[in-house]
Amino acid sequence: MGKAASWPQRGAVAASAGGTSAVWGECQGSGSKPYLAAVHLDGGTGPAYKCSCPSRKIPCKHVLGLLALWAQGEVADREDKPSWVGSWLDGRAARQARAADPAKAAPADPAKAAATLRAREEAVAAGLAELRLWLHDQIDAGLAEVPKHGYDHWDRMAKRLTDAKARGASGWVSRLPSVARQESWPERVLEHLGLLHLLIDGYGAGDALGERTRGAIRSRVGITLKADEVRAGGESVGDTWVVLGRRTVPGAEDDMTGLRVWLRGARTGRTALALSFGRADQAPTTPYRLGTAVEADLSFYPDGHRVVPDPGTELPGPVPQGTTVAGALDAHAAVLAEDPWRETWPVVLADAAPGRDDRWYLADPGGDALPLATGAPRRLLAVTGGRPATVAAEWSPAEGLTPLAVWDRTGKAIPL
């Protein structure tokens, strides 16, 4: 990738203020068509990358090879540039101008937007139909074949789904190799394949499903709404939202990091998830702090759980009302009835204390308990000293309880 001979066509676009605005090139690989790669260096929001290769990594190896050539002085300024480079740079400039002055943004064309959505839905439906056949092939071959498969076996299907604009379903397929390495992997792989099959059936059911389930399915396959669309047409719920805790998680892309913040309405009891993302080298931001509450009207996505973050008015945070283990499991079961693909859910246990039998647990005053995730007991014991406390945690049947925060006897929230 870093050899000039691999890039028969390449060039740099000079910036008006001096220096280089962008570099581009056509990398000749093993196929008949070259890969088209470009980097926008002075876009105002940091470098941006473009490449026609199927890699999901950003930047990909072709972009890195092009940058290496440019750093070595092997990419000269050129007055001419291919139309695909000009179109990409012009589009980025237009989007940045609209972001700087929303009043100048072109009005949306409802007919064009509806046609685009229909095309997207048709592409996703075709991709899921192919996924159904692939799932049947995995079952016909038998689960005993799973450990023999290399990553390429799973990546081929994942890439097909990405091409079909079903990136959410693609992510589920990409996780299968790690599922196959877990304890009791046959049961876990079969469950994972079953949830994928249920996702396909749910997408095909369309309007026959409830609104929240339909919203969850569209989100799971990768059809999402923009924040502005949710603010304009989503369900709005006003409440005092208590911050239960936050957890950093891997993003869908290798170079992204996610941040989950769980909120609970003091009056409605509604649970809300504020999800934000950032580059791996930039921590995601959120307007919510542990130990506070926020008075705000939150706009909910169609799944009924995720919300568009709104700073609202920050207030002192009360200790959230806790429940028993039985109550927490009942709430989780109600969520799964609407969204069977949800893997984590927040719980708040009142007067809960860690204890140990064959493994570490968090027990309520009645003696019912839930297992703690690996690594969680040491942090929890360090804060509580083994005494009962109000504990907010994420519950995952596969991992156990991952504590998010503890409220001590004075009502102070301590993050974990």
Side-chain angles (χ1 to χ4, degrees):
M1 297 300 109
K3 296 180 179 180
S6 299
W7 300 83
Q9 292 294 328
R10 58 188 187 275
V13 180
S16 57
T20 301
S21 174
V23 292
W24 59 270
E26 300 180 2
C27 181
Q28 189 61 56
S30 58
S32 59
K33 294 182 179 180
Y35 291 123
L36 309 180
V39 184
H40 192 189
L41 298 167
D42 63 350
T45 57
Y49 315 100
K50 175 183 178 63
C51 187
S52 60
C53 77
S55 174
R56 297 192 297 275
K57 292 187 176 181
I58 302 176
C60 68
K61 62 183 180 181
H62 304 101
V63 166
L64 294 176
L66 177 62
L67 286 173
L69 277 181
W70 175 63
Q72 296 164 16
E74 295 286 343
V75 181
D77 287 353
R78 286 178 56 169
E79 292 291 337
D80 63 316
K81 56 181 179 288
S83 59
W84 64 269
V85 177
S87 299
W88 182 58
L89 294 177
D90 291 345
R92 282 186 51 77
R95 287 191 295 273
Q96 289 169 10
R98 290 195 298 268
D101 189 356
K104 295 182 179 179
D109 183 343
K112 182 178 180 181
T116 300
L117 180 59
R118 282 196 301 273
R120 172 77 181 275
E121 291 172 338
E122 290 170 0
V124 169
L128 294 183
E130 184 177 351
L131 175 62
R132 183 192 296 275
L133 295 176
W134 182 85
L135 289 175
H136 290 173
D137 289 342
Q138 309 314 303
I139 297 301
D140 289 344
L143 292 180
E145 296 297 312
V146 169
K148 303 176 185 178
H149 295 316
Y151 281 97
D152 287 348
H153 174 80
W154 315 102
D155 282 348
R156 280 194 295 271
M157 188 67 245
K159 289 176 180 177
R160 298 282 291 178
L161 290 168
T162 298
D163 293 341
K165 304 184 186 302
R167 294 184 67 88
S170 173
W172 274 71
V173 173
S174 296
R175 289 165 49 194
L176 276 164
S178 64
V179 175
R181 294 195 301 269
Q182 296 176 3
E183 186 178 353
S184 303
W185 66 265
E187 293 87 348
R188 293 189 183 277
V189 169
L190 187 59
E191 178 185 14
H192 204 84
L193 296 176
L195 286 172
L196 273 170
H197 199 280
L198 183 63
L199 187 65
I200 297 169
D201 286 345
Y203 186 80
D207 294 340
L209 301 174
E211 182 179 358
R212 288 191 182 181
T213 301
R214 190 167 65 251
I217 288 171
R218 292 174 70 83
S219 175
R220 299 296 180 195
V221 299
I223 301 177
T224 58
L225 296 176
K226 296 179 180 179
D228 289 344
E229 294 175 304
V230 177
R231 290 191 181 98
E235 178 189 11
S236 179
V237 179
D239 206 334
T240 301
W241 301 93
V242 181
V243 182
L244 300 181
R246 53 195 286 176
R247 186 181 181 191
T248 302
V249 294
E253 301 290 347
D254 292 340
D255 64 338
M256 299 293 286
T257 301
L259 179 65
R260 288 198 293 254
V261 181
W262 294 102
L263 311 167
R264 178 175 293 170
R267 297 187 296 273
T268 62
R270 187 80 173 263
T271 297
L273 169 62
L275 188 60
S276 56
F277 294 95
R279 295 291 181 188
D281 57 347
Q282 298 176 348
T285 59
T286 175
Y288 307 122
R289 297 187 303 124
L290 184 64
T292 67
V294 178
E295 188 72 35
D297 294 335
L298 296 183
S299 299
F300 280 77
Y301 282 78
D303 67 0
H305 303 308
R306 188 181 170 192
V307 296
V308 178
D310 187 327
T313 302
E314 187 174 290
L315 305 170
V319 178
Q321 183 176 0
T323 185
T324 62
V325 166
L329 292 178
D330 286 344
H332 184 235
V335 171
L336 291 180
E338 295 179 339
D339 182 359
W341 306 273
R342 177 156 293 284
E343 298 171 276
T344 62
W345 189 248
V347 301
V348 180
L349 298 179
D351 296 324
R356 184 174 177 81
D357 191 358
D358 56 326
R359 59 178 294 181
W360 282 98
Y361 292 83
L362 190 62
D364 65 17
D368 292 329
L370 291 172
L372 284 163
T374 303
R378 179 175 297 183
R379 297 193 300 273
L380 190 60
L381 287 169
V383 172
T384 65
R387 295 184 296 273
T390 298
V391 180
E394 274 191 344
W395 165 242
S396 164
E399 299 179 8
L401 280 176
T402 300
L404 303 174
V406 169
W407 281 261
D408 64 18
R409 296 180 183 277
T410 67
K412 179 183 177 182
I414 304 172
L416 293 174

